[in-house]
mmCIF file of all heavy atoms in Angstrom:
data_model
loop_
_atom_site.group_PDB
_atom_site.id
_atom_site.type_symbol
_atom_site.label_atom_id
_atom_site.label_comp_id
_atom_site.label_asym_id
_atom_site.label_seq_id
_atom_site.Cartn_x
_atom_site.Cartn_y
_atom_site.Cartn_z
ATOM 1 N N SER A 5 -41.263 -31.506 57.094
ATOM 2 C CA SER A 5 -41.076 -32.497 56.049
ATOM 3 C C SER A 5 -42.380 -32.773 55.329
ATOM 4 O O SER A 5 -42.383 -33.026 54.137
ATOM 5 C CB SER A 5 -40.485 -33.783 56.613
ATOM 6 O OG SER A 5 -41.400 -34.382 57.498
ATOM 7 N N ALA A 13 -45.001 -32.370 46.059
ATOM 8 C CA ALA A 13 -46.096 -33.032 45.352
ATOM 9 C C ALA A 13 -46.822 -32.030 44.461
ATOM 10 O O ALA A 13 -47.198 -32.328 43.321
ATOM 11 C CB ALA A 13 -47.059 -33.669 46.351
ATOM 12 N N ALA A 28 -49.194 -31.366 24.668
ATOM 13 C CA ALA A 28 -50.435 -31.103 23.935
ATOM 14 C C ALA A 28 -50.233 -29.961 22.940
ATOM 15 O O ALA A 28 -50.693 -30.028 21.795
ATOM 16 C CB ALA A 28 -51.565 -30.776 24.912
ATOM 17 N N LEU A 31 -48.237 -31.284 20.044
ATOM 18 C CA LEU A 31 -49.079 -32.125 19.191
ATOM 19 C C LEU A 31 -50.043 -31.282 18.366
ATOM 20 O O LEU A 31 -50.259 -31.559 17.177
ATOM 21 C CB LEU A 31 -49.842 -33.144 20.031
ATOM 22 C CG LEU A 31 -49.007 -34.303 20.569
ATOM 23 C CD1 LEU A 31 -49.861 -35.181 21.489
ATOM 24 C CD2 LEU A 31 -48.443 -35.127 19.435
ATOM 25 N N ILE A 32 -50.619 -30.252 18.950
ATOM 26 C CA ILE A 32 -51.526 -29.375 18.206
ATOM 27 C C ILE A 32 -50.763 -28.644 17.103
ATOM 28 O O ILE A 32 -51.220 -28.562 15.964
ATOM 29 C CB ILE A 32 -52.225 -28.386 19.159
ATOM 30 C CG1 ILE A 32 -53.228 -29.144 20.042
ATOM 31 C CG2 ILE A 32 -52.920 -27.278 18.392
ATOM 32 C CD1 ILE A 32 -53.836 -28.308 21.148
ATOM 33 N N LEU A 40 -51.597 -28.072 7.203
ATOM 34 C CA LEU A 40 -51.171 -27.088 6.205
ATOM 35 C C LEU A 40 -50.426 -27.744 5.052
ATOM 36 O O LEU A 40 -50.625 -27.390 3.885
ATOM 37 C CB LEU A 40 -50.297 -26.018 6.857
ATOM 38 C CG LEU A 40 -51.023 -25.014 7.760
ATOM 39 C CD1 LEU A 40 -50.019 -24.107 8.452
ATOM 40 C CD2 LEU A 40 -52.010 -24.196 6.950
ATOM 41 N N ILE A 52 -51.776 -28.968 -10.822
ATOM 42 C CA ILE A 52 -51.114 -29.830 -11.814
ATOM 43 C C ILE A 52 -52.160 -30.522 -12.688
ATOM 44 O O ILE A 52 -51.992 -30.645 -13.903
ATOM 45 C CB ILE A 52 -50.188 -30.843 -11.117
ATOM 46 C CG1 ILE A 52 -48.963 -30.112 -10.565
ATOM 47 C CG2 ILE A 52 -49.764 -31.945 -12.070
ATOM 48 C CD1 ILE A 52 -48.083 -30.959 -9.675
ATOM 49 N N ALA A 53 -53.245 -30.970 -12.068
ATOM 50 C CA ALA A 53 -54.308 -31.611 -12.844
ATOM 51 C C ALA A 53 -54.920 -30.627 -13.838
ATOM 52 O O ALA A 53 -55.166 -30.970 -15.006
ATOM 53 C CB ALA A 53 -55.380 -32.155 -11.908
ATOM 54 N N PHE A 57 -54.791 -30.908 -17.941
ATOM 55 C CA PHE A 57 -55.982 -30.840 -18.783
ATOM 56 C C PHE A 57 -55.814 -29.776 -19.855
ATOM 57 O O PHE A 57 -56.150 -29.989 -21.020
ATOM 58 C CB PHE A 57 -57.216 -30.549 -17.926
ATOM 59 C CG PHE A 57 -58.487 -30.475 -18.694
ATOM 60 C CD1 PHE A 57 -59.059 -31.618 -19.237
ATOM 61 C CD2 PHE A 57 -59.121 -29.254 -18.900
ATOM 62 C CE1 PHE A 57 -60.232 -31.552 -19.959
ATOM 63 C CE2 PHE A 57 -60.293 -29.177 -19.620
ATOM 64 C CZ PHE A 57 -60.854 -30.330 -20.150
ATOM 65 N N GLU A 63 -52.813 -29.703 -27.066
ATOM 66 C CA GLU A 63 -52.308 -30.723 -27.992
ATOM 67 C C GLU A 63 -53.378 -31.105 -29.006
ATOM 68 O O GLU A 63 -53.083 -31.296 -30.188
ATOM 69 C CB GLU A 63 -51.827 -31.944 -27.217
ATOM 70 C CG GLU A 63 -50.523 -31.706 -26.482
ATOM 71 C CD GLU A 63 -50.128 -32.864 -25.590
ATOM 72 O OE1 GLU A 63 -50.974 -33.747 -25.321
ATOM 73 O OE2 GLU A 63 -48.975 -32.886 -25.134
ATOM 74 N N GLN A 65 -55.811 -29.144 -30.003
ATOM 75 C CA GLN A 65 -55.928 -27.993 -30.891
ATOM 76 C C GLN A 65 -54.764 -27.960 -31.885
ATOM 77 O O GLN A 65 -54.962 -27.658 -33.063
ATOM 78 C CB GLN A 65 -55.962 -26.704 -30.072
ATOM 79 C CG GLN A 65 -56.169 -25.460 -30.912
ATOM 80 C CD GLN A 65 -56.203 -24.202 -30.074
ATOM 81 O OE1 GLN A 65 -55.948 -24.224 -28.868
ATOM 82 N NE2 GLN A 65 -56.516 -23.097 -30.699
ATOM 83 N N LEU A 76 -54.889 -27.229 -46.332
ATOM 84 C CA LEU A 76 -54.705 -26.005 -47.112
ATOM 85 C C LEU A 76 -53.498 -26.108 -48.040
ATOM 86 O O LEU A 76 -53.549 -25.643 -49.188
ATOM 87 C CB LEU A 76 -54.557 -24.802 -46.177
ATOM 88 C CG LEU A 76 -55.820 -24.404 -45.412
ATOM 89 C CD1 LEU A 76 -55.493 -23.331 -44.387
ATOM 90 C CD2 LEU A 76 -56.900 -23.933 -46.359
ATOM 91 N N GLN A 91 -56.953 -25.152 -67.324
ATOM 92 C CA GLN A 91 -58.417 -25.098 -67.354
ATOM 93 C C GLN A 91 -58.921 -23.687 -67.034
ATOM 94 O O GLN A 91 -59.861 -23.200 -67.667
ATOM 95 C CB GLN A 91 -59.016 -26.099 -66.363
ATOM 96 C CG GLN A 91 -58.878 -27.538 -66.791
ATOM 97 C CD GLN A 91 -59.337 -28.502 -65.708
ATOM 98 O OE1 GLN A 91 -59.745 -28.085 -64.640
ATOM 99 N NE2 GLN A 91 -59.256 -29.795 -66.006
ATOM 100 N N ALA A 95 -60.991 -21.216 -69.482
ATOM 101 C CA ALA A 95 -62.272 -20.659 -69.052
ATOM 102 C C ALA A 95 -62.278 -19.138 -69.182
ATOM 103 O O ALA A 95 -63.330 -18.534 -69.434
ATOM 104 C CB ALA A 95 -62.574 -21.073 -67.613
ATOM 105 N N ILE A 101 -50.676 -20.173 -78.046
ATOM 106 C CA ILE A 101 -50.320 -19.433 -79.256
ATOM 107 C C ILE A 101 -49.505 -20.322 -80.182
ATOM 108 O O ILE A 101 -48.871 -21.283 -79.762
ATOM 109 C CB ILE A 101 -49.541 -18.156 -78.928
ATOM 110 C CG1 ILE A 101 -48.196 -18.489 -78.259
ATOM 111 C CG2 ILE A 101 -50.330 -17.235 -78.057
ATOM 112 C CD1 ILE A 101 -47.259 -17.299 -78.170
ATOM 113 N N GLN A 105 -47.385 -16.516 -84.002
ATOM 114 C CA GLN A 105 -47.991 -15.414 -83.278
ATOM 115 C C GLN A 105 -47.061 -14.802 -82.226
ATOM 116 O O GLN A 105 -47.331 -13.712 -81.735
ATOM 117 C CB GLN A 105 -49.261 -15.884 -82.558
ATOM 118 C CG GLN A 105 -50.361 -16.300 -83.506
ATOM 119 C CD GLN A 105 -51.531 -16.902 -82.737
ATOM 120 O OE1 GLN A 105 -51.327 -17.586 -81.746
ATOM 121 N NE2 GLN A 105 -52.732 -16.629 -83.218
ATOM 122 N N ILE A 110 -36.470 -7.257 -77.941
ATOM 123 C CA ILE A 110 -35.073 -7.342 -77.548
ATOM 124 C C ILE A 110 -34.662 -5.991 -76.980
ATOM 125 O O ILE A 110 -34.827 -4.960 -77.634
ATOM 126 C CB ILE A 110 -34.180 -7.724 -78.734
ATOM 127 C CG1 ILE A 110 -34.608 -9.093 -79.262
ATOM 128 C CG2 ILE A 110 -32.720 -7.705 -78.331
ATOM 129 C CD1 ILE A 110 -33.897 -9.507 -80.521
ATOM 130 N N HIS A 116 -21.078 -1.387 -70.298
ATOM 131 C CA HIS A 116 -20.280 -0.821 -69.210
ATOM 132 C C HIS A 116 -21.107 -0.643 -67.925
ATOM 133 O O HIS A 116 -20.567 -0.566 -66.856
ATOM 134 C CB HIS A 116 -19.653 0.498 -69.642
ATOM 135 C CG HIS A 116 -20.668 1.580 -69.882
ATOM 136 N ND1 HIS A 116 -21.175 2.351 -68.874
ATOM 137 C CD2 HIS A 116 -21.246 2.000 -71.040
ATOM 138 C CE1 HIS A 116 -22.050 3.199 -69.381
ATOM 139 N NE2 HIS A 116 -22.107 3.021 -70.707
ATOM 140 N N ALA A 120 -18.117 -4.547 -63.337
ATOM 141 C CA ALA A 120 -17.557 -4.046 -62.092
ATOM 142 C C ALA A 120 -16.307 -3.241 -62.403
ATOM 143 O O ALA A 120 -15.518 -3.594 -63.282
ATOM 144 C CB ALA A 120 -17.221 -5.206 -61.164
ATOM 145 N N GLN A 121 -16.135 -2.170 -61.688
ATOM 146 C CA GLN A 121 -14.954 -1.340 -61.893
ATOM 147 C C GLN A 121 -14.165 -1.292 -60.591
ATOM 148 O O GLN A 121 -14.709 -1.083 -59.530
ATOM 149 C CB GLN A 121 -15.372 0.085 -62.298
ATOM 150 C CG GLN A 121 -16.095 0.134 -63.620
ATOM 151 C CD GLN A 121 -16.537 1.550 -63.932
ATOM 152 O OE1 GLN A 121 -16.275 2.469 -63.163
ATOM 153 N NE2 GLN A 121 -17.189 1.711 -65.068
#
Side-chain angles (χ1 to χ4, degrees):
S5 65
L31 286 175
I32 290 172
L40 287 174
I52 288 171
F57 181 71
E63 287 174 346
Q65 184 180 7
L76 291 172
Q91 288 173 359
I101 63 168
Q105 294 174 324
I110 299 174
H116 66 84
Q121 296 177 1

